[in-house]
Amino acid sequence: MDWYPLYNSLRIAAVSTVIVFFCGICGAYYAAKAPRVVKGLLDVVLTLPLVLPPTVVGYLLLLVLGPKRVLGRWFLENAGVRLTMQWWSAVFATVVVTFPLMYRTARGAFESFDETLAHAGRTLGLSNTYIFWRVRMPVCRQGILAGTVLAFARALGEYGATAMVAGYTPGRTATISTTVYQLWRTNEDGLALRWVLVNLAISAVVLLAVNLLERPGKAVGS
């Protein structure tokens, strides 16, 4: 049994989760502080990939990254880099698809934060950067960690957008999801079932982690 699809899926999910973690926190922090109208517009734009079919997301990415499109052609001609049909092409797809999960979860955590803690920190002469990382983030850690785990799980199981942007090449771009589909197409149900069981095991661990993170934590300072 070739374990490359598992390795590639974990690699893609890990890279995209790191990107989504920082981008999602940044977007959520500023959106939570934005006026109501601006927040509504940001929600529509930033969470749109959550409701769009993954194949539509993949098609829109191809309109930008394809070798005959402006951005894709520029990279191909000037850097010799093809933005599609590579293993890391799937990172583009998973980042777009999983970003709304991280953004919405982190925004909810930030909105529930007691701002009097931040005000108290400022009266003590603490910088906004210090307050953010040493006060706000620890208080909101459960929601942020839950969003991170969910984003990782979604990236690990992504198929539609990934298949369109990265395709399926054994030993190069294959992921668990695309491998299951290809094995089903070729009537290799035994191998397909093995990969399904691997995916189920990983998903169960992820859900367990999310449930543990959602348990009420200890109060700050206790």
Side-chain angles (χ1 to χ4, degrees), residues 109 112-114 117 134-143 220:
S112 64
F113 177 75
D114 185 359
L117 295 175
R134 301 301 297 272
V135 180
R136 192 181 303 270
M137 287 291 285
V139 172
C140 301
R141 66 184 181 279
Q142 282 185 307
V220 176

Side-chain angles (χ1 to χ4, degrees), residues 27-58:
Y29 176 73
Y30 288 106
K33 290 181 170 295
R36 185 173 181 179
V37 175
V38 176
K39 183 186 297 185
L41 291 174
L42 285 174
D43 275 349
V44 171
V45 174
L46 298 179
T47 62
L48 192 59
L50 190 64
V51 296
L52 286 175
T55 50
V56 173
V57 174

Side-chain angles (χ1 to χ4, degrees), residues 149-194:
V149 174
L150 286 173
F152 178 83
R154 182 67 182 85
L156 195 63
E158 164 57 28
Y159 171 75
T162 297
M164 295 191 69
V165 176
Y168 172 78
T169 304
R172 184 177 174 186
T173 66
T175 63
I176 294 176
S177 299
T178 56
T179 298
V180 169
Y181 177 72
Q182 291 299 324
L183 291 173
W184 171 77
R185 284 183 65 248
T186 56
N187 294 320
E188 298 181 71
D189 291 342
L191 279 176
L193 181 59
R194 291 183 186 179

Side-chain angles (χ1 to χ4, degrees), residues 52-81:
L52 286 175
T55 50
V56 173
V57 174
Y59 175 75
L60 293 175
L61 285 172
L62 287 176
L63 292 180
V64 178
L65 306 176
K68 295 183 179 180
R69 305 299 174 177
V70 177
L71 185 61
R73 184 171 65 247
W74 187 91
F75 271 92
L76 188 60
E77 294 176 351
N78 293 277
V81 176

